[in-house]
């Protein structure tokens, strides 16, 4: 079984997680840029972070046979902070990088006018750079947030088929599907979706244009949730081909629209800018 986790924040995870993910079948992933858990105080902290997503994390992933890609953006949580908004002007120099396969995470947190502006600007950047967009639907007022997101997509130059609406649930899946966008579901230990609910959604809506991710980060989360969904699908009677479509073919098809997917993992280098993942010894 091969798995592509289309949304996981490996900056927050350990090298042991990379090993466990490989052992569970993960061979590729996308790491979206996101909020770090506390406010950033300057655009420069974003730039160092983006550089790490393009350098250090692909290096770490390659040590364990996993192809690493990323998305970059001004995330919704910080889109209204005037200390951070200059990032919008700097994004074009990152959006031309080979490892960047989408603009993201973008979308809404509190659904403010500042977030409207950041979302519209970044949908336009995606269109200008020929990239798809990974859109974060808000954790609060989710249905209202989805509708506002879909309106923004319709008003943009980016076709719905190049947009992934993430963090969906049972209350938003139908309208998200009707929008023509791709559908993303984050599987968590306590919140969002779990494996059994995900299987029920797949039974009701089928396997086309649906991506399943762990969205594992610095909070309570599980980087092996993609494999657990695959196992739950098989236990529920889905075929190996169904699992392959949801856990591999769909993320390849969506992010492949960037023209930048590199699924063959390069031979791992011993160090990145003089640093290795080893500790102690020669």
């Amino acid at each position: 079984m091969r798995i592509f986790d289309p949304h996981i924040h490996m900056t927050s995870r350990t090298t042991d997680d990379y090993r466990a993910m490989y052992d569970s079948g993960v061979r590729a992933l996308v790491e979206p840029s996101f909020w770090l858990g506390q406010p950033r105080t300057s655009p420069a902290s974003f730039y160092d972070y983006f550089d790490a997503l393009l350098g250090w994390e692909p290096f770490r992933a390659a040590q364990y046979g996993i192809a690493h890609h990323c998305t970059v953006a001004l995330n919704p949580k910080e889109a209204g902070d005037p200390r951070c908004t200059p990032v919008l002007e700097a994004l074009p120099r990152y959006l031309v990088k080979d490892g960047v396969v989408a603009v993201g995470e973008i979308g809404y947190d509190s659904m403010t006018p500042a977030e409207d502006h950041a979302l519209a600007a970044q949908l336009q950047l995606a269109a200008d750079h020929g990239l798809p967009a990974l859109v974060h639907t808000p954790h609060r007022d989710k249905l209202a947030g989805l509708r506002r997101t879909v309106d923004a997509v319709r008003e943009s130059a980016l076709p719905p088929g190049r947009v992934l609406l993430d963090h969906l649930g049972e209350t938003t899946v139908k309208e998200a599907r009707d929008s023509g966008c791709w559908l993303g579901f984050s599987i968590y230990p306590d919140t969002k979706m779990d494996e059994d609910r995900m299987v029920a959604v797949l039974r009701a809506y089928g396997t086309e244009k649906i991506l399943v991710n762990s969205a594992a980060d610095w909070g309570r989360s599980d980087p092996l949730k993609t494999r657990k969904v695959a196992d739950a699908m098989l236990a529920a009677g889905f075929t190996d081909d169904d699992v392959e479509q949801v856990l591999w073919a769909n993320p390849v098809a969506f992010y492949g629209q960037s023209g930048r997917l590199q699924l063959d993992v390069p031979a791992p280098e011993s160090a990145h800018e003089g640093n290795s993942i080893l500790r102690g010894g020669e």
Side-chain angles (χ1 to χ4, degrees), residues 149-208:
T149 300
V150 169
D151 286 343
V153 170
R154 287 174 177 155
E155 293 167 4
S156 78
L158 196 64
R162 297 178 72 85
V163 175
L164 172 57
L165 301 173
D166 214 345
H167 304 317
L168 298 177
E170 293 89 343
T171 62
T172 51
V173 59
K174 183 181 184 304
E175 292 194 29
R177 185 187 64 170
D178 292 345
S179 74
C181 298
W182 291 70
L183 315 182
F185 296 86
S186 302
I187 314 302
Y188 264 43
D190 298 322
T191 59
K192 300 179 183 175
M193 297 287 289
D194 63 25
E195 300 92 313
D196 293 335
R197 289 166 58 201
M198 189 67 239
V199 166
V201 167
L202 291 167
R203 278 179 171 151
Y205 293 95
T207 58
E208 293 185 4

Side-chain angles (χ1 to χ4, degrees), residues 189-261:
D190 298 322
T191 59
K192 300 179 183 175
M193 297 287 289
D194 63 25
E195 300 92 313
D196 293 335
R197 289 166 58 201
M198 189 67 239
V199 166
V201 167
L202 291 167
R203 278 179 171 151
Y205 293 95
T207 58
E208 293 185 4
K209 295 182 73 172
I210 286 180
L211 282 69
V212 171
N213 65 72
S214 69
D217 58 17
W218 35 255
R220 177 156 161 73
S221 50
D222 181 353
L224 305 184
K225 279 296 189 181
T226 47
R227 176 55 188 258
K228 292 173 183 177
V229 168
D231 292 340
M233 288 178 66
L234 293 172
F238 285 91
T239 66
D240 289 339
D241 287 345
D242 294 328
V243 172
E244 171 84 1
Q245 179 172 5
V246 173
L247 275 301
W248 184 265
N250 286 351
V252 167
F254 177 74
Y255 287 113
Q257 295 179 98
S258 69
R260 297 177 182 170
L261 279 185

